[in-house]
Amino acid sequence: MAEDSNPMREMFIEKLVLNISVGESGDRVTRAGKVLQQLTEQEPCYSRARYTVRTFGIRRNEKIATYVTVRGEKAKDIISKGLAVKEFELRRRNFSAAGNWGFGISEHIDLGLKYDPNAGIYGMDFYVNMRRAGTRVAKRKLRPGKVGQRQRISKEEAINWFEKTWNEDFAKVLN
């Protein structure tokens, strides 16, 4: 059996996490949440500050960021929009040793969302979690096992998958 035809070796996108860190509580965080809701059609979650930092003007347990997790085909569509903003070019440092990768954009209106003067303009982080079939063995509650080294995704495998998947859009990974 060839390496390519093994269905257990196929990599796929497990989830996409979109994050907008505002750095302050109040109205700006809720408006950023509305931007994420408009983009993904899902209800966003809010992150709270772990501790008080007086120089930044934030207090402990204040909402300072918003994020949403997207799975399935919708995640791939949103990633394509984000990569189009980056012109389908990522750097090697965008990929982690575990095969996950991420990038950021500086303006959400580049994704095709309509500009709302009340909301303002927000930058956002895209983080893509990759996996292969069989990862559940390590995550399950009853009799958890270990995922073998060959089944884990390396940085090089993730880069090759990225270039192959978005090949029609001339995707490349720069140094």
Side-chain angles (χ1 to χ4, degrees), residues 92-112:
R92 289 184 69 79
R93 68 173 178 244
N94 289 90
F95 291 84
S96 74
N100 303 320
W101 48 280
F103 59 94
I105 60 170
S106 55
E107 297 181 353
H108 75 274
I109 56 173
D110 293 338
L111 297 171

Side-chain angles (χ1 to χ4, degrees), residues 94-141:
N94 289 90
F95 291 84
S96 74
N100 303 320
W101 48 280
F103 59 94
I105 60 170
S106 55
E107 297 181 353
H108 75 274
I109 56 173
D110 293 338
L111 297 171
L113 295 174
K114 190 169 174 267
Y115 174 66
D116 182 13
N118 295 332
I121 294 178
Y122 295 98
M124 65 177 65
D125 301 321
F126 288 67
Y127 198 74
V128 181
N129 196 313
M130 302 291 297
R131 66 170 261 183
R132 280 194 172 113
T135 311
R136 184 184 167 275
V137 168
K139 305 270 185 205
R140 65 187 177 197
K141 186 172 182 174

